[in-house]
Amino acid sequence: MLAMQHSNSSGGTAPIPLFNDTPAVKVLEAVAGNATRPRSNPTSAGLTMTLGILFNVVALIILAKAYNRFRRRSKATFLLFASSLVATDLAGHVILGALVLKRYSAGTGSAADPVSSFQNDSANPDGCCLFLGSCMVFFGLCPLFLGCAMAAERCLGVTRPLLHSRLVTMARTKMALALIWLLALCVALLPFFSLGTYTYQYPGTWCFIRVMEGTRATDLAFVTLFSGLALSSLASAFVCNTVSGITLVRARIKKRLCSRRGSAGSQDTEMVVQLVGIMVTSCICWSPLLVFGLMSATKSYSGFLPGDRETYSGLMVIGVRMATCNQILDPWVYILLRRAVLRKIYRITKRKASFKRSTFRSIRWDISSFQNSEKKNSVSTI
């Protein structure tokens, strides 16, 4: 997803640019100190959106080729999950990016005071904001749910391969995908049934659950549900990947001499390594927004937010900027953590290790031969 900076006038509180190299501390100081920043443009945001689309398309091509090459049931179901995850990231990147760019272009030249414009928009969200907020929740939950489902599927395949081959089929995998998308959609549509509210978030270019001003009990319940489901998915994926990793390590130690089973083991290792990469990326990118949103809603509902509103606004912006990176980094997991790439890394590492061993042995041989020659010379002189 894509969040962008809003343009700034010569006076007033400076909006927070979402795509720059400013550290988080300086960002918060600029908000609290009413600093003035120059008028900005959406070039960096458009470039980020283009790169995200390119990376996701490349990852989809790689997964499509792998799906045509491997026909094993376990590998096919994993690739179907992975392709669905990348396709969901691509769709979210395009839809959310287009909506944010449209919001940016509509607000850059019309409002003389962007802060007051943001406050008015926050009080009266329009249909575009409701759709944007729904997409934020939907495309935020879907990758986390899919990552959890992939981890559970691989855990079953690694620990109980016979049960996995009997239970996990392509039809059931497609049904699970449909249920995951349906669950995320139901959660995203809850504000349309009076459970929670979507509002524009500072600096007015993106929409999310109401967590800053006028937070009600339904808003707190909604953000708690959203954060709870997301964090539970991350925790479940962590448990499943840990079990899969330990099982693979034990199996490799026991069957170290059986070279015939290396192909299946290498495929399982590749999939688990990719799942760990997805899990780590999701934890790093999504945890700040989930935690900051829950903290902001709790303090706002309790009435303790007014004094720290600027600080929590900056934290929310940092959180959504990090969440944006998830859809850009996910494709690199499949691009870099493929078996071919891992095999090259393993060969390079093995060559370096063998070279160091041979060098060490040659040095030891030279030293021992030198000592033997010295002993012979001493004996001959005697």
Side-chain angles (χ1 to χ4, degrees):
M1 66 193 58
L2 189 63
M4 293 180 50
Q5 66 267 29
H6 199 70
S7 62
N8 189 19
S9 57
S10 58
T13 304
I16 301 172
L18 303 189
F19 287 94
N20 55 16
D21 299 327
T22 308
V25 176
K26 293 183 179 180
V27 172
L28 298 180
E29 289 177 353
V31 175
N34 295 329
T36 302
R37 292 193 181 276
R39 189 180 184 88
S40 55
N41 56 69
T43 303
S44 58
L47 178 61
T48 304
M49 179 180 175
T50 303
L51 291 177
I53 294 173
L54 178 63
F55 297 155
N56 280 281
V57 170
V58 172
L60 275 177
I61 294 174
I62 293 174
L63 289 170
K65 290 182 177 180
Y67 185 81
N68 292 329
R69 187 167 63 252
F70 295 101
R71 292 297 179 183
R72 290 180 65 249
R73 178 176 296 178
S74 60
K75 185 70 174 179
T77 54
F78 175 83
L79 291 174
L80 181 59
F81 272 121
S83 301
S84 302
L85 175 59
V86 175
T88 303
D89 283 339
L90 177 61
H93 205 74
V94 173
I95 295 174
L96 291 171
L99 291 174
V100 172
L101 287 175
K102 180 181 178 181
R103 172 67 184 171
Y104 180 90
S105 61
T108 51
S110 59
D113 187 359
V115 176
S116 61
S117 176
F118 155 68
Q119 293 173 350
N120 294 332
D121 290 337
S122 179
N124 300 303
D126 53 7
C128 181
C129 177
L130 297 178
F131 181 71
L132 179 56
S134 302
C135 291
M136 285 277 294
V137 173
F138 176 79
F139 290 110
L141 288 177
C142 277
L144 301 180
F145 287 166
L146 288 172
C148 179
M150 292 169 65
E153 184 267 340
R154 271 300 82 211
C155 183
L156 181 62
V158 170
T159 58
R160 297 289 186 271
L162 297 179
L163 181 63
H164 176 272
S165 62
R166 187 167 64 251
L167 293 181
V168 180
T169 61
M170 292 300 295
R172 291 176 179 174
T173 302
K174 294 176 182 179
M175 186 181 299
L177 288 172
L179 291 176
I180 288 173
W181 286 323
L182 180 61
L183 176 60
L185 181 62
C186 290
V187 176
L189 294 179
L190 286 178
F192 294 92
F193 299 94
S194 302
L195 180 59
T197 308
Y198 292 124
T199 59
Y200 281 106
Q201 304 291 322
Y202 190 84
T205 52
W206 61 291
C207 286
F208 195 58
I209 308 168
R210 187 193 298 274
V211 295
M212 297 300 300
E213 295 181 359
T215 304
R216 298 187 294 268
T218 53
D219 299 320
L220 181 60
F222 186 33
V223 73
T224 302
L225 175 64
F226 173 75
S227 299
L229 289 174
L231 293 174
S232 298
S233 299
L234 292 174
S236 301
F238 175 79
V239 173
C240 293
N241 289 330
T242 301
V243 173
S244 300
I246 294 174
T247 304
L248 286 177
V249 170
R250 289 180 176 177
R252 185 167 290 273
I253 292 175
K254 290 180 180 179
K255 300 176 182 180
R256 196 170 182 178
L257 300 178
C258 298
S259 59
R260 295 181 180 179
R261 300 295 299 273
S263 177
S266 63
Q267 288 185 359
D268 290 333
T269 303
E270 176 191 17
M271 290 184 282
V272 172
V273 168
Q274 290 179 348
L275 286 175
V276 171
I278 294 172
M279 180 192 66
V280 172
T281 303
S282 299
C283 286
I284 295 175
C285 294
W286 272 102
S287 294
L289 181 61
L290 299 174
V291 175
F292 295 157
L294 190 58
M295 291 170 57
S296 301
T298 303
K299 290 183 72 68
S300 177
Y301 181 72
S302 302
F304 298 108
L305 187 63
D308 299 327
R309 182 177 289 108
E310 290 82 4
T311 300
Y312 279 93
S313 296
L315 292 176
M316 288 294 294
V317 170
I318 294 172
V320 74
R321 187 169 65 184
M322 294 185 65
T324 304
C325 299
N326 184 67
Q327 295 171 332
I328 301 174
L329 297 177
D330 268 348
W332 283 102
V333 174
Y334 306 102
I335 295 173
L336 296 179
L337 299 184
R338 290 176 293 150
R339 186 170 54 169
V341 179
L342 294 175
R343 187 176 296 171
K344 290 181 181 179
I345 296 174
Y346 174 75
R347 288 176 180 175
I348 293 174
T349 306
K350 189 176 181 180
R351 287 176 184 174
K352 290 183 178 180
S354 61
F355 176 76
K356 290 181 180 179
R357 290 196 203 98
S358 61
T359 305
F360 179 72
R361 289 175 182 175
S362 63
I363 293 174
R364 289 185 59 186
W365 184 84
D366 292 339
I367 293 175
S368 61
S369 61
F370 176 75
Q371 291 176 348
N372 293 332
S373 62
E374 287 292 328
K375 289 180 180 179
K376 289 181 181 179
N377 290 334
S378 61
V379 171
S380 61
T381 54
I382 292 175

